[in-house]
Amino acid sequence: MAERLPQASRQRGGKAMTAAAGSAGRAAVPLLLCALLVPGGAYVLDDSDGLGREFDGIGAVSGGGATSRLLVNYPEPYRSQILDYLFKPNFGASLHILKVEIGGDGQTTDGTEPSHMHYALDENYFRGYEWWLMKEAKKRNPNIILMGLPWSFPGWLGKGFNWPYVNLQLTAYYVMTWIVGAKHYHDLDIDYIGVLRRMLNYQGLHRVKIIASDNLWEPISASMLLDTELLNVIDVIGAHYPGTRTVRDARLTKKKLWSSEDFSTLNNDVGAGCLGRILNQNYINGYMTATIAWNLVASYYEQLPYGRCGLMTAQEPWSGHYAVEPPIWVTAHTTQFTQPGWYYLKTVGHLEKGGSYVALTDGLGNLTIIVETMSHKHSRCIRPFLPYFNVSHQFATFLLKGSFSEIPELQVWYTRLGKPSKRFLFKQLDSLWLLDSGGAFTLELQEDELFTLTTLTTGGKGSCPPPPESQPFPQVYEDDFDVDYPFFSEAPNFADQTGVFEYFTNIEDPGEHRFTLRQVLNQRPITWAADAYNTISVIGDYKWSNLTVRCDVYIETPEKGGVFIAGRVNKGGILIRSARGVFFWIFANGTYKVTGDLAGWIIYALGHVDVTANRWYTLTLIIKGRFSSGMLNGKSVWKNIPVSFPKNGWAAIGTHSFEFAQFDNFHVEATT
């Protein structure tokens, strides 16, 4: 059929072409129908009256927080395959923008990310994994746009207050050092950052652009209209989760408008529908020329808040298993056939019976059209509330006018979400030939479909050999932290929820504890989340029920210091303060405590032990069925304490407060 299309067009002069996508058979074979006999709307795509706004790209967020935590632990070749699906042009999501968290030591949704300045006189530009991730993105797409945003700040910036702007110059300096460090140590040019124009200019960073407030449309938009200096220094107004809408003040500024954080939805078909709808309608309804999805890759323990809310899933570095989820291919419908610097046409809008269409051009003759018919039921984002709308079967005729009237052929890419038997993800269909159609073609549209029609021939659905099968976290796991020159500052699979745990070298200890894991914060960070007053890092399988946790511990703070090991920890992320479990604490004042929660309100046992600061001890916690026991240096401290709740959860280590402490020879044996 495909080979006969040009001939059929010549034989049927004045007839338009229909890409009918109602079933598997029809999806693969474009049909010919007379446009005059097709009921439904007609939509003109024309550049004769000029173009719309400049397109700035589609991107995703790593951070806000710790959402790429497990990715760095993946073995090759799987780690590179995941990165290819995210960043490699014409392969997968082909992202135009990467936005990363400027680590601030605080809990910012699913964990903490380390700051480059834990303390005022401390600078280290190799902590965490965001530097590495930005470099990997740049390797695959040298033109990718890099953005930075702090979700939290180290405590010293607050001068005793939970507010980062007590000293504006100091906070501006802190952010500026991150930008300079990115260039100096990693040869990374940061393209967009929050408001600190004078500091940037003083450092010669004139090319770095300002996005504000990277939160809400107001009050920044109104302030810009009243303050010429502020208006002049801001390049982009960014808002989070705008629901495809802007506000009048933002539009009056004539600035670029971005949805600078969006999506946050489970990466199943409904999440893909959410993304497919907002990628079109953020521009149609709100003139937003960039959309940045939170988050890039669901590479954190799934039971943390917003589990699997990434474009794809990679949460098993121990097995190498990952999943290329539908949002990857929904993103590809736009990213593979556009680039920042293209322009939207003015002729974009909603379809008569539900759905929407946008069209973009590079100004050099290329045209890309994206049509979506996402239904209300299958495109609800996690926020904000989505008013009801209806989508129904329809025929949509598109008329190419202006410089596009002579386009001879359009490549066609197709996605249908829904039941697996009827689902197609980023399937290339036969081309549409427009030689004798007068620049007209008709699409038959069902619910939950996505079409890209484009003059570009470079699109591709990348594939890799299937990754390994999914496997649970190993039931026996140990880490002695004996790494002389670690590539990353965090130990594999530990997910810091409050505090920061880093590899540490005891220069003065040539023995067994020369290399350890150290909690390095001594001050509560500045954060919007309800960080616990203790520090804690979780690890393992949330389904674990019966387990033995053993770890060597070292309290550095005399009298007031304390550390713990724990099992069945049932909460993390922004819920960490209310975590339940079984917590075995020892303190430098010679006491111990067993609690049923991290906050220490539920006390199972307490007493005295021979413990002091600056000495190593081995703690052992045994949880089996409804009972738990604990040992210090191999000797029983408490036995058979009833623990009826929770039934399962992670293992964990941590400290009593924000204090220095060390951990070594971590070992866990568990069963579900």
Side-chain angles (χ1 to χ4, degrees), residues 223-225 227-235 253 255:
S223 299
M224 292 168 65
L225 294 174
D227 185 333
T228 303
E229 184 180 5
L230 180 64
L231 181 70
N232 290 338
V233 301
I234 292 175
D235 300 281
T253 66
K255 296 291 184 177

Side-chain angles (χ1 to χ4, degrees), residues 610-654:
D610 184 16
V611 169
T612 186
N614 301 313
R615 286 180 55 188
W616 282 99
Y617 301 93
T618 301
L619 295 183
T620 305
L621 171 65
I622 303 165
I623 310 173
K624 191 170 184 179
R626 294 180 57 250
F627 297 95
S628 64
S629 304
M631 294 188 289
L632 175 67
N633 293 340
K635 295 182 179 180
S636 177
V637 177
W638 47 279
K639 282 185 177 180
N640 296 330
I641 290 179
V643 286
S644 58
F645 182 85
K647 303 292 186 183
N648 53 274
W650 297 292
I653 57 175

Side-chain angles (χ1 to χ4, degrees), residues 397-663:
T397 299
F398 292 87
L399 306 173
L400 304 187
K401 299 291 186 179
S403 67
F404 310 122
S405 61
E406 301 299 321
I407 289 176
E409 179 185 4
L410 290 172
Q411 308 293 311
V412 183
W413 292 82
Y414 173 65
T415 287
R416 181 169 187 174
L417 302 171
K419 295 180 180 179
S421 61
K422 296 184 177 181
R423 179 208 268 179
F424 292 89
L425 294 175
F426 202 58
K427 178 182 177 66
Q428 186 168 18
L429 307 184
D430 293 333
S431 299
L432 282 181
W433 292 85
L434 307 175
L435 293 173
D436 298 313
S437 71
F441 63 91
T442 298
L443 298 180
E444 181 183 5
L445 301 171
Q446 309 282 356
E447 288 185 358
D448 301 317
E449 292 183 331
L450 194 61
F451 279 94
T452 295
L453 304 104
T454 181
T455 55
L456 298 184
T457 59
T458 51
K461 186 173 184 180
S463 64
C464 298
E469 292 296 314
S470 175
Q471 298 287 338
F473 195 96
Q475 290 186 327
V476 178
Y477 183 85
E478 57 188 13
D479 195 336
D480 59 13
F481 312 117
D482 288 354
V483 182
D484 200 350
Y485 296 102
F487 194 70
F488 297 106
S489 59
E490 304 101 328
N493 303 321
F494 280 90
D496 302 348
Q497 299 303 305
T498 301
V500 173
F501 295 74
E502 296 179 350
Y503 282 117
F504 182 68
T505 302
N506 288 308
I507 300 175
E508 298 177 358
D509 186 342
E512 180 185 2
H513 301 294
R514 180 172 178 81
F515 300 106
T516 68
L517 193 69
R518 190 188 195 208
Q519 200 295 117
V520 297
L521 300 189
N522 63 359
Q523 187 175 1
R524 184 180 176 82
I526 301 166
T527 173
W528 59 268
D531 270 21
Y533 289 98
N534 330 89
T535 73
I536 178 172
S537 187
V538 302
I539 188 170
D541 190 333
Y542 189 81
K543 296 179 181 178
W544 279 347
S545 179
N546 301 320
L547 68 162
T548 298
V549 184
R550 185 175 67 247
C551 190
D552 297 342
V553 298
Y554 185 87
I555 303 169
E556 296 189 38
T557 304
E559 300 300 326
K560 296 182 179 180
V563 299
F564 69 82
I565 62 174
R568 293 188 185 175
V569 177
N570 73 340
K571 291 182 182 178
I574 51 177
L575 305 174
I576 188 60
R577 183 182 287 195
S578 59
R580 297 284 301 273
V582 182
F583 297 81
F584 178 19
W585 313 72
I586 61 171
F587 299 92
N589 64 4
T591 62
Y592 80 92
K593 186 164 57 174
V594 186
T595 68
D597 62 335
L598 177 62
W601 292 106
I602 304 169
I603 299 176
Y604 291 141
L606 49 79
H608 292 275
V609 285
D610 184 16
V611 169
T612 186
N614 301 313
R615 286 180 55 188
W616 282 99
Y617 301 93
T618 301
L619 295 183
T620 305
L621 171 65
I622 303 165
I623 310 173
K624 191 170 184 179
R626 294 180 57 250
F627 297 95
S628 64
S629 304
M631 294 188 289
L632 175 67
N633 293 340
K635 295 182 179 180
S636 177
V637 177
W638 47 279
K639 282 185 177 180
N640 296 330
I641 290 179
V643 286
S644 58
F645 182 85
K647 303 292 186 183
N648 53 274
W650 297 292
I653 57 175
T655 65
H656 176 59
S657 63
F658 287 93
E659 60 185 273
F660 300 131
Q662 295 177 56
F663 303 84

Side-chain angles (χ1 to χ4, degrees), residues 101-324:
E101 177 169 355
I102 300 175
D105 294 335
Q107 169 62 248
T108 54
T109 297
D110 291 295
T112 67
E113 297 197 32
S115 170
H116 62 288
M117 296 179 71
H118 292 317
Y119 326 109
L121 300 178
D122 160 69
E123 292 187 50
N124 184 325
Y125 297 92
F126 295 92
R127 295 185 182 121
Y129 41 81
E130 303 295 6
W131 314 105
W132 164 83
L133 185 62
M134 287 189 283
K135 287 187 287 188
E136 292 295 323
K138 278 284 186 182
K139 281 182 191 176
R140 289 160 174 80
N141 178 5
N143 296 320
I144 197 165
I145 296 164
L146 298 178
M147 300 175 63
L149 178 67
W151 270 259
S152 69
F153 296 84
W156 60 271
L157 285 172
K159 304 290 185 180
F161 296 92
N162 189 45
W163 181 244
Y165 307 115
V166 174
N167 184 325
L168 293 175
Q169 287 296 107
L170 188 62
T171 300
Y173 172 79
Y174 166 81
V175 176
M176 182 274 299
T177 59
W178 184 84
I179 299 171
V180 173
K183 181 63 176 179
H184 182 77
Y185 293 99
H186 303 284
D187 196 27
L188 292 167
D189 291 308
I190 304 301
D191 298 290
Y192 288 90
I193 204 71
V195 179
L196 59 159
R197 182 76 272 161
R198 288 178 181 172
M199 182 71 73
L200 291 174
N201 290 348
Y202 181 75
Q203 295 293 328
L205 300 170
H206 300 274
R207 63 170 298 281
V208 180
K209 295 181 179 179
I210 300 298
I211 180 169
S213 65
D214 211 347
N215 184 17
L216 300 172
W217 297 123
E218 298 289 16
I220 189 68
S221 298
S223 299
M224 292 168 65
L225 294 174
L226 297 172
D227 185 333
T228 303
E229 184 180 5
L230 180 64
L231 181 70
N232 290 338
V233 301
I234 292 175
D235 300 281
V236 176
I237 304 176
H240 292 187
Y241 308 99
T244 75
R245 304 289 176 175
T246 47
V247 297
R248 181 174 178 271
D249 284 349
R251 296 191 295 273
L252 287 174
T253 66
K254 306 296 185 183
K255 296 291 184 177
K256 290 178 178 288
L257 308 176
W258 289 9
S259 178
S260 53
E261 185 178 317
D262 218 327
F263 179 56
S264 287
T265 304
L266 185 68
N267 56 24
N268 56 13
D269 274 21
V270 174
C274 154
L275 190 60
R277 177 175 53 79
I278 65 176
L279 288 184
N280 267 21
Q281 296 193 29
N282 275 348
Y283 182 74
I284 295 168
N285 299 337
Y287 300 102
M288 286 170 269
T289 54
T291 297
I292 302 173
W294 187 92
N295 58 67
L296 174 73
V297 53
S299 204
Y300 47 100
Y301 290 117
E302 186 169 340
Q303 293 80 9
L304 289 168
Y306 305 100
R308 276 189 55 201
C309 284
L311 298 182
M312 62 183 293
T313 303
Q315 56 193 22
E316 290 186 21
W318 47 88
S319 72
H321 177 75
Y322 64 86
V324 185

